[in-house]
Amino acid sequence: MTANSPDRISSPCVMGAIAALTSLVIACALGVVPALAAELVAARSSFGALGAVLLGIDAFVLGHGGSLQLSDSPIEGTVHLAPLGLTVLFVLSAAASMRRMGRALSLVRTDGALRAGALRDVAATATAFVLVYAVGGGVLASIGRSPSVHPVVSTAVLGCALVAVVGAIAGILWSLRRRAAAGVPAVRILDLLPAPYDAAARGAAIALLGLAAVSTLTVVAALVLGFSRAGAIWEQLEPGIVGGIVLLLLQLALLPTFSLWALAALLGGHFTVGVGTAVSLGASEPGVLPAVPLLAVLPGPGHAPGYVWLLLLLPIAALAAGAIAVVREVAGSPLRVRAAAWGSYAVAVLVAVLLLLALAGGAIGTERLREIGPALASVTLPLLAMIVGTLGLAVLVLDSPVIGWVRSGVGGLRTRVERAEARERGTEPVSEDAAELHRQGGSHTASSGGTDPHEGRGERDTSGGAGGTGDAATTARAGAEPTGTTGTASDSDDAEPAGRARGAGSEHGEGVRNPAGRSSAR
């Protein structure tokens, strides 16, 4: 049943609008519900229910990458710092809604191919989804104004549109994925890309997941090591039970943001937590920090020990895993295909990491905290060097003859050393080449000596049998027979064939070898 069949009431555009409204409600609830819960439980709160709702809308705007304009408050100016934990939840919500709509559109036939008109329905659904989501975000930002906080509507609309685009693409691709069934092959998301870019995408995904893992683990390890300092700030805030839950949720929302700050330092760059501050692996100058427990785990001012630079191996290992994956997958392909995969992998990882680091930056007010986040200029060159270095090393080891050349050179050097040691001991071993030549020479001699059997036999008869034996027979005959008989026998021997002459020679030879016969002849 397709989207245009009479059994389906909703058109693709209506389905996209419904998915957008559903995602907006979920995203707004993620910000409003915790604020309302804290307000209802708190005994001495001055916000009220309406203030809690407005606070939740402000969190909605910031989570979509929007900005807030503050006035008549301790912080003056623009606040633009995305809690990327909320952003991830918003994208997942949008993707889940579009996945349901993609499944409802029945985009894939039973044989695994796209049905007729599938792309048209997908385009209509995604367009309606993005438009409704962006407009709805702008409406929420406009009604979320308060005397001291003014959401910037233009940034809210732009941020909502970007989240909707990413969520729509992810949701549609997610709806196409399915497991193998009887007679129908499995469909994986990255397999939908043309070769060799599917291999590059898989390698980039491995590298990015590895970088996210090592940066998050670094933040968690720092939090464990600095738990006492974070606990001290928590006690100073005295949030209470509900306030503590809200503060915990806020820090969880900021955890991916701080993880990207840590990634900037792990890559060899630095991040700032205010004007004139910098935190890197080599040194730290954090300055005066806001009262946020997560920020208490930052190192104090001064230079770090030299072994801290070993943390550079963590992102290098993640990038090496991605490089090895893409090089192995395209091994054996033509050089043009392999070069395209390698280049697209490097560009994808570089662009994705720099884009994520840019999203983790921002500003709070116009004073000291107007510069917060990773310094992209300090990260770009080290990141590029790591990507190119790990990829080049993977190509050198897995997809080039250099290793074979090195192995053969080491083997030849070892053989020469062994032969030199043998010469010093006086027991030089015969090399394999010399042994082979010796065997070939022996076989050649044997074959040349047995080519003419008559020639060899004649030589033996002439030297040993025909010469010496013939003279002894002639002497014996001369003493026992008359001269005429001897001459007649000689003439007849000349007239006999060569075979009979050799036979007579052998008979004379037998007479010579037999002393009794020789006495009898005499």
Side-chain angles (χ1 to χ4, degrees):
M1 183 172 59
T2 64
N4 295 328
S5 62
D7 295 334
R8 185 178 297 279
I9 299 176
S10 300
S11 67
C13 292
V14 175
M15 296 174 67
I18 293 174
L21 292 176
T22 304
S23 300
L24 280 173
V25 171
I26 295 174
C28 188
L30 289 174
V32 171
V33 171
L36 273 177
E39 173 61 28
L40 293 176
V41 175
R44 296 176 299 175
S45 176
S46 59
F47 277 98
L50 180 59
V53 172
L54 294 178
L55 183 62
I57 294 177
D58 295 340
F60 170 87
V61 173
L62 288 177
H64 284 87
S67 303
L68 302 177
Q69 190 70 32
L70 303 182
S71 60
D72 298 333
S73 63
I75 300 176
E76 297 284 342
T78 302
V79 175
H80 174 68
L81 181 63
L84 293 180
L86 273 180
T87 306
V88 172
L89 293 179
F90 295 159
V91 172
L92 289 178
S93 173
S97 298
M98 284 300 295
R99 176 180 177 269
R100 289 193 297 270
M101 295 305 164
R103 291 293 178 89
L105 288 172
S106 301
L107 301 174
V108 182
R109 300 197 305 257
T110 56
D111 59 353
L114 291 176
R115 65 169 175 82
L119 296 179
R120 181 185 65 249
D121 292 343
V122 166
T125 305
T127 301
F129 178 83
V130 173
L131 289 177
V132 173
Y133 196 93
V135 172
V139 171
L140 287 175
S142 62
I143 65 177
R145 299 171 65 90
S146 66
S148 58
V149 181
H150 305 277
V152 181
V153 177
S154 59
T155 60
V157 171
L158 180 60
C160 289
L162 291 177
V163 169
V165 169
V166 175
I169 295 174
I172 291 299
L173 293 177
W174 191 6
S175 68
L176 296 178
R177 183 184 183 276
R178 65 183 189 181
R179 298 178 180 178
V184 180
V187 178
R188 296 188 300 176
I189 295 176
L190 295 182
D191 289 342
L192 301 175
L193 297 175
Y197 303 106
D198 55 344
R202 278 186 285 271
I206 292 173
L208 293 175
L209 289 176
L211 292 175
V214 298
S215 60
T216 303
L217 290 177
T218 302
V219 173
V220 172
L223 184 60
V224 171
L225 295 176
F227 185 76
S228 59
R229 298 192 300 271
I233 293 180
W234 187 285
E235 292 178 356
Q236 291 176 5
L237 294 175
E238 298 181 354
I241 298 177
V242 179
I245 295 175
V246 174
L247 183 60
L248 179 62
L249 294 177
L250 174 62
Q251 292 184 99
L252 289 177
L254 289 173
L255 181 61
T257 304
F258 293 159
S259 297
L260 289 175
W261 293 9
L263 179 60
L266 291 175
L267 291 173
H270 69 270
F271 62 90
T272 61
V273 286
V275 178
T277 64
V279 179
S280 64
L281 292 180
S284 175
E285 187 60 42
V288 180
L289 298 174
V292 178
L294 269 180
L295 294 179
V297 303
L298 291 177
H303 293 278
Y307 61 82
V308 176
W309 288 103
L310 294 176
L311 294 176
L312 289 173
L313 297 177
L314 296 178
I316 290 176
L319 293 173
I324 290 173
V326 67
V327 170
R328 281 182 173 175
E329 188 163 353
V330 299
S333 302
L335 180 59
R336 178 179 57 84
V337 176
R338 286 178 290 163
W342 301 337
S344 56
Y345 160 80
V347 172
V349 173
L350 180 64
V351 172
V353 172
L354 292 180
L355 181 61
L356 290 174
L357 293 179
L359 292 176
I364 300 178
T366 58
E367 300 298 329
R368 182 177 172 277
L369 297 178
R370 65 179 182 269
E371 294 180 4
I372 296 178
L376 296 182
S378 66
V379 177
T380 304
L381 288 181
L383 173 62
L384 182 61
M386 289 183 183
I387 294 174
V388 174
T390 54
L391 181 60
L393 187 60
V395 171
L396 185 66
V397 173
L398 301 176
D399 200 10
S400 71
V402 174
I403 300 300
W405 295 343
V406 172
R407 288 178 179 175
S408 61
V410 171
L413 178 60
R414 183 172 56 187
T415 302
R416 290 193 295 270
V417 170
E418 291 175 355
R419 293 172 63 182
E421 292 177 351
R423 279 196 298 268
E424 291 180 358
R425 293 192 302 265
T427 58
E428 181 177 0
V430 180
S431 64
E432 294 182 0
D433 296 338
E436 182 66 22
L437 291 175
H438 179 71
R439 286 194 296 270
Q440 292 178 358
S443 61
H444 177 70
T445 304
S447 61
S448 62
T451 53
D452 190 0
H454 298 290
E455 181 182 355
R457 191 182 305 169
E459 290 177 356
R460 287 193 299 270
D461 292 342
T462 303
S463 61
T469 308
D471 294 341
T474 303
T475 306
R477 232 183 249 138
E481 296 180 358
T483 306
T485 307
T486 304
T488 305
S490 176
D491 295 338
S492 62
D493 289 340
D494 292 336
E496 288 180 353
R500 294 182 60 186
R502 282 194 297 271
S506 63
E507 292 175 358
H508 293 313
E510 290 177 0
V512 173
R513 287 192 296 270
N514 189 357
R518 195 164 50 245
S519 302
S520 165
R522 287 193 188 97

